Amino acid sequence: MAAAALPTRVSPTGLVVVQPLRRRYCAGCRRGPVAMLVLEDAAPRCLDCADLGHLVFLPRGDTALTRRSREESGLSAVVVRFNRRKGRYERQGVLVEEAALVRAEERCLADAEARRRRRARDARRRAALDARFAQAFAAEILRLLPGCPPERAHGIAAHASLRGSGRVGRSAAGRALSETAVVSAVVASVRHLDTPYDRLLMSGVPRREARRQIMADVEIRIRTWREGGAGVGGGNGDGAGDGVAAGSASGIPLEVRGGTGQDLRSTAGS
């Protein structure tokens, strides 16, 4: 995927500085390649030429320190870098005045214990919410696919709903427990554990072709579970179809089965 155009110097959130992926040289002093640049008049400028060279870089990761550093700094900038896989610019940190960073660090040290206790409370609260959501997700799996073994349903729910994973259970549809999202999570599990899909990938078979080869086995397993059966082949991860003839299961939503031709990696959370 080609990189998007460099963001301009000023955005709604303030000044923007870019960490370029390619070798870039300053249009003003001709120095380079530069580690950070600012786009001015459609030309890259180094931090010194952009009058930002006196600022220090604070990497992302400490929210309180970042917020307080920007509060203390008369001049600051957001540092971004393009993520080719996601096709967007992502924050890497901020540039702030060195004195402002020192003052922010002192503020953070002064209330570090209070913030630690608050983080612990928040973590317990999120863990409780996540546990309730995973239970609800598993219950929905068993409602839609009553033949799915309960322990398998709970394992699928825990995997799909892991916070920060980006899997289908954390999507808007997953949080709403939509049928497509729930079945997609089950399809992803069946694909990896009950078919030779992973072995096909390891042997060099293209992902789309591997999915085509195992689609019938996945459909049969989902249909069996939907109808309340015990499943095909025992679900031991060596399924490889277990000699099951190819078939078509009407119980799998079209977008999950791949009938639309869309990329199923994101749809099924694998």
Side-chain angles (χ1 to χ4, degrees), residues 5-268:
L6 288 174
T8 57
R9 176 188 175 102
V10 180
S11 76
T13 58
L15 296 176
V16 176
V17 172
V18 179
Q19 290 180 340
L21 299 181
R22 297 186 288 113
R23 295 167 65 90
R24 294 271 187 166
Y25 294 81
C26 177
C29 65
R30 304 298 179 183
R31 288 183 298 179
V34 295
M36 298 185 192
L37 62 85
V38 175
L39 192 66
E40 286 186 341
D41 300 324
R45 307 276 180 179
C46 68
L47 295 187
D48 287 334
C49 290
D51 294 330
L52 301 176
H54 63 292
L55 302 181
V56 296
F57 178 59
L58 174 61
R60 66 181 181 182
D62 189 325
T63 304
L65 183 58
T66 297
R67 174 173 52 80
R68 289 171 172 176
S69 294
R70 298 193 72 184
E71 291 173 353
E72 295 283 351
S73 188
L75 179 65
S76 65
V78 175
V79 180
V80 300
R81 185 169 61 216
F82 189 73
N83 185 318
R84 287 196 179 100
R85 183 175 65 84
K86 297 181 180 179
R88 65 170 184 255
Y89 281 93
E90 296 181 333
R91 292 174 65 119
Q92 302 302 309
V94 294
L95 289 171
V96 294
E97 297 167 345
E98 187 169 7
L101 178 56
V102 171
R103 291 192 297 270
E105 289 173 336
E106 291 173 350
R107 291 173 58 187
C108 288
L109 286 173
D111 64 355
E113 179 59 24
R115 290 186 295 111
R116 185 195 65 79
R117 291 195 298 268
R118 184 167 61 247
R119 286 195 300 269
R121 290 195 301 271
D122 290 344
R124 290 193 295 269
R125 178 181 55 82
R126 287 193 298 269
L129 290 174
D130 290 349
R132 288 198 294 270
F133 176 66
Q135 288 287 343
F137 202 96
E140 188 65 9
I141 292 175
L142 294 173
R143 186 186 71 83
L144 294 171
L145 308 171
C148 179
E151 65 277 8
R152 182 72 177 272
H154 285 282
I156 294 171
H159 179 79
S161 62
L162 181 65
R163 184 181 293 269
S165 66
R167 296 172 187 142
V168 67
R170 303 308 304 187
S171 66
R175 291 194 299 273
L177 297 179
S178 76
E179 179 174 354
T180 296
V182 172
V183 175
S184 292
V186 179
V187 167
S189 175
V190 171
R191 180 186 298 130
H192 290 289
L193 298 183
D194 305 307
T195 77
Y197 178 68
D198 291 353
R199 293 201 300 275
L200 290 172
L201 294 181
M202 290 298 293
S203 66
V205 177
R207 181 173 60 85
R208 291 184 181 275
E209 173 59 20
R211 290 195 175 198
R212 187 195 65 78
Q213 291 185 28
I214 57 90
M215 183 182 295
D217 293 340
V218 174
E219 290 181 342
I220 291 173
R221 177 61 60 89
I222 297 298
R223 181 179 59 190
T224 302
W225 283 352
R226 189 181 292 275
E227 294 173 353
V232 180
N236 58 6
D238 298 323
D242 290 324
V244 179
S248 176
S250 59
I252 302 179
L254 182 62
E255 56 268 39
V256 175
R257 292 171 53 199
T260 62
Q262 70 183 66
D263 185 347
L264 299 182
R265 183 179 293 269
S266 58
T267 304

